[in-house]
Amino acid sequence: MWQQSKLVSVGLVSLLLGSIGCTNNQANDMAVDFPQALNVAQKNVSTNQLSGRVIVDGSSTVFPISQAMATAFTKNNPDVKVNVGVSGTGGGFKKFCAGETDITGASRPINTQEMKLCQQNQIEYTELPIAFDGLAVVVNSQNNFVSCLKTRELRQMWEPAAEGKITNWNQVRGSFPDRPLQLYGPDAASGTFDYFTLATVGQEGKSRTDYKPSANDDALVQGVAADPNALGYFGYAYYLKNQEKLKLVGIDSGYGCIQPSPKIIADGSYQPLSRPVFIYVKKAAAVRREVNALTNFYLNPDNANIILQVGDVPLPNITLRAAASRFNRGMTGTNFGGRGAVIGVAQEGL
């Protein structure tokens, strides 16, 4: 394992946008033509003929990135079959540490229990950050009374003590109407669940249980879109894909109301609901040419448009190159010591 870096309680440094070649105006307009992004990305694929199969699973937040990367990669490598599944971060680590997958996506770092499982099964891995993501808090598109929530109000809604007690909107804020409060969120196997509970309640995994959980973020989107009394949360990329069906809620952590966007997530001001996302690559699989090539494809700074297209924020070139160097030198382990979800990780912590 490489030495654990010092974690800082600030967001991404201003280097982020500059390192991906975006001006402030460009960052405000993150609509990317996906075919064009694929054409750029295809130039970065090895021209050596590759074949084989790569099995990818894990986080629903990382899924859109992995799916887009696989599409771009296999366009020039048609003999490589990349199977991308979704089991959630926790479910993905179970499969990964059992040796069932080559790469797993994670919306939080690996935790101690998962590290022990990998050790028991002699699975060595390299932890690789691939992007930054924000959590979107959303309500039904017809909701006309919620535009911003304070982090203490999110805690009031979601903490274990709220179970069976905070059941109406006007209990959260007196000016809200006397209407039922219906909550939707990821299930307990999700890394997004782990991160959100730590960020809002203050303890990872501590949440009321009388909400509508799902491991499928698309199901959460559909639930909120169909329920006028709903509030839910999931990765920002899923909001971006479904924004005509949903209303985005701003979050006030004490510095005013802020709505997430790629630029806002990048500049570090959307706190505490922004975080890095990762892939973990099995060392035994990395010796296969197709796995090695796909992993380096994820980490190629020239593929930033693919990250932008799915609604996430590319990492600085220097961070991606450092990750690629660790991977290609065969370094293994985690940079977070098995802590699981961590709040306020900046570039320096990766």
Side-chain angles (χ1 to χ4, degrees):
M1 296 185 185
W2 60 87
Q3 184 177 5
Q4 184 176 341
S5 298
K6 181 181 180 182
L7 301 180
V8 294
S9 58
V10 294
L12 276 172
V13 295
S14 59
L15 170 64
L16 179 53
L17 288 177
S19 67
I20 61 174
C22 292
T23 66
N24 286 338
N25 288 337
Q26 289 170 327
N28 281 320
D29 182 9
M30 291 296 187
V32 176
D33 180 68
F34 190 40
Q36 181 180 353
L38 292 184
N39 290 335
V40 171
Q42 287 154 18
K43 296 177 183 178
N44 303 314
V45 184
S46 171
T47 56
N48 296 328
Q49 188 67 27
L50 296 173
S51 62
R53 182 184 181 206
V54 184
I55 303 176
V56 183
D57 208 290
S59 164
S60 60
T61 301
V62 180
F63 172 77
I65 298 176
S66 291
Q67 189 177 49
M69 290 288 180
T71 299
F73 180 80
T74 57
K75 197 167 182 74
N76 271 16
N77 294 276
D79 292 330
V80 178
K81 307 302 179 187
V82 182
N83 296 343
V84 183
V86 184
S87 298
T89 296
F93 274 127
K94 286 181 181 179
K95 290 184 177 181
F96 181 75
C97 293
E100 298 175 13
T101 58
D102 302 309
I103 298 172
T104 195
S107 57
R108 57 152 174 82
I110 192 169
N111 65 33
T112 302
Q113 184 177 359
E114 292 154 350
M115 289 174 66
K116 288 180 179 177
L117 181 60
C118 275
Q119 290 168 358
Q120 289 169 6
N121 294 320
Q122 298 183 322
I123 302 295
E124 294 185 89
Y125 52 83
T126 303
E127 173 189 85
L128 300 167
I130 56 170
F132 259 76
D133 173 62
L135 299 190
V137 177
V138 299
V139 292
N140 185 272
S141 61
Q142 296 184 22
N143 185 307
N144 61 5
F145 58 89
V146 178
S147 59
C148 184
L149 289 167
K150 297 181 184 296
T151 50
R152 62 174 175 78
E153 291 174 324
L154 288 176
R155 174 172 184 158
Q156 185 181 1
M157 291 179 182
W158 286 96
E159 64 185 347
E163 185 162 337
K165 296 178 181 178
I166 305 300
T167 56
N168 276 37
W169 277 100
N170 65 349
Q171 293 175 281
V172 177
R173 189 185 299 177
S175 60
F176 289 164
D178 184 8
R179 287 168 50 173
L181 173 63
Q182 302 289 348
L183 297 174
Y184 294 76
D187 65 18
S190 166
T192 297
F193 171 85
D194 292 335
Y195 188 89
F196 183 84
T197 52
L198 180 61
T200 60
V201 177
Q203 288 183 278
E204 181 179 330
K206 297 298 183 181
S207 171
R208 65 190 300 167
T209 60
D210 56 342
Y211 72 98
K212 299 181 185 298
S214 178
N216 185 332
D217 286 350
D218 286 318
L220 296 175
V221 168
Q222 295 306 317
V224 176
D227 188 340
N229 297 312
L231 177 139
Y233 69 92
F234 36 72
Y236 177 76
Y238 283 87
Y239 162 74
L240 202 63
K241 187 173 67 172
N242 298 280
Q243 54 190 302
E244 74 286 351
K245 304 176 184 177
L246 304 165
K247 178 181 175 181
L248 186 62
V249 176
I251 302 301
D252 183 354
S253 60
Y255 301 96
C257 192
I258 297 174
Q259 284 196 342
S261 70
K263 179 179 182 297
I264 293 298
I265 294 167
D267 70 20
S269 56
Y270 187 59
Q271 292 294 329
L273 296 183
S274 61
R275 58 1 187 343
V277 295
F278 305 85
I279 57 170
Y280 288 72
V281 183
K282 185 168 62 176
K283 183 179 181 180
V287 300
R288 301 189 342 244
R289 291 176 62 233
E290 66 275 17
V291 176
N292 188 285
L294 177 60
T295 302
N296 278 290
F297 191 73
Y298 272 99
L299 299 173
N300 192 322
D302 291 340
N303 293 338
N305 276 355
I306 296 179
I307 302 293
L308 291 172
Q309 190 273 333
V310 300
D312 288 306
V313 177
L315 294 174
N317 291 359
I318 190 172
T319 303
L320 290 171
R321 288 172 180 147
S325 176
R326 290 198 301 268
F327 172 70
N328 290 310
R329 284 184 291 152
M331 296 179 68
T332 59
T334 175
N335 202 26
F336 297 90
R339 295 171 61 187
V342 181
I343 302 299
V345 179
Q347 180 211 345
E348 294 91 335
L350 298 175

